Amino acid sequence: MSKTEKATFAGGCFWCMVKPFDQFDGIDSIRSGYTGGTVDQPSYEQVKSGETGHMEAVEIVFDPAIFPYEKLLEIYWQQVDPTDDEGQFQDRGPSYRAAIFYHNEEQKQKAERSKEALIESAKYKKPIVTPIHAAGPFWEAEDYHQDFYKKNPEEYKADREQSGRDEFLAKHWPK
């Protein structure tokens, strides 16, 4: 019997952070939500105001025997601009910053090694500023945010195209 773990990643709009992980064996669930702030059970409007300190994030429940944490990190770095500490792509402000939230010491060490490897790769001209923090409470977002790309494929596609995310990622992570 396999044991699952949680991984928590902030990468700008959480709508864009679900689909890249939602296609692999070993990923049990992905929930959009809020973490890193000071208010219990914040609403989307509270978080978006930037006054709660929360970031939009995804919490992934995964089986590390099937899909290792290192692979999640690899996918994560290919979804964000790790040089931007003011938001991600078209989404600006503190609730849209990128961050890795670790759930145990092993995840912390792996996240730090992956960040160091990204720095050493010289893939980016600007400094890598994505922080790595201990995970705190994760508050699930409102239901209409869950699996947004599946429920609203046209709006998801239009938002993603408008954001500039795909062009940036293609430039830095060519297939």
Side-chain angles (χ1 to χ4, degrees):
M1 185 172 173
S2 297
K3 182 180 147 193
T4 60
E5 292 185 25
K6 291 180 182 177
T8 305
F9 301 119
C13 176
F14 46 34
W15 294 350
C16 292
M17 293 299 294
V18 175
K19 187 176 181 181
F21 298 99
D22 196 23
Q23 55 188 311
F24 300 103
D25 290 338
I27 305 295
D28 290 352
S29 66
I30 305 171
R31 302 302 291 167
S32 296
Y34 315 111
T35 194
T38 58
V39 174
D40 288 351
Q41 300 179 354
S43 69
Y44 176 69
E45 291 305 319
Q46 288 174 303
V47 171
K48 193 172 178 175
S49 77
E51 295 178 12
T52 68
H54 290 89
M55 290 178 244
E56 289 192 14
V58 291
E59 184 178 78
I60 302 167
V61 177
F62 68 103
D63 182 339
I66 299 171
F67 203 87
Y69 186 67
E70 293 90 341
K71 188 71 174 165
L72 290 172
L73 290 165
E74 184 180 312
I75 294 168
Y76 172 77
W77 291 120
Q78 295 178 40
Q79 305 311 310
V80 300
D81 176 355
T83 69
D84 188 349
D85 62 358
E86 299 295 323
Q88 291 289 289
F89 310 104
Q90 74 176 357
D91 297 311
R92 311 312 298 158
S95 63
Y96 295 112
R97 294 170 303 185
I100 295 171
F101 296 89
Y102 60 87
H103 290 265
N104 56 49
E105 188 62 29
E106 183 179 2
Q107 283 187 0
K108 178 183 179 184
Q109 291 173 7
K110 289 176 179 180
E112 288 172 347
R113 282 194 300 268
S114 74
K115 182 177 177 179
E116 190 58 39
L118 185 61
I119 291 167
E120 290 173 5
S121 77
K123 185 175 282 293
Y124 295 94
K125 294 184 182 357
K126 296 192 254 178
I128 305 300
V129 297
T130 301
I132 299 169
H133 301 297
F138 181 87
W139 305 102
E140 198 169 295
E142 295 79 356
D143 192 54
Y144 68 92
H145 289 299
Q146 306 304 327
D147 296 317
F148 190 85
Y149 82 96
K150 291 178 184 175
K151 294 184 213 173
N152 301 285
E154 293 304 315
E155 187 177 349
Y156 170 78
K157 181 181 176 190
D159 186 69
R160 191 158 176 119
E161 287 173 357
Q162 181 181 337
S163 75
R165 184 182 290 257
D166 291 333
E167 292 82 2
F168 178 90
L169 299 176
K171 176 182 171 187
H172 289 90
W173 298 95
K175 298 285 180 211

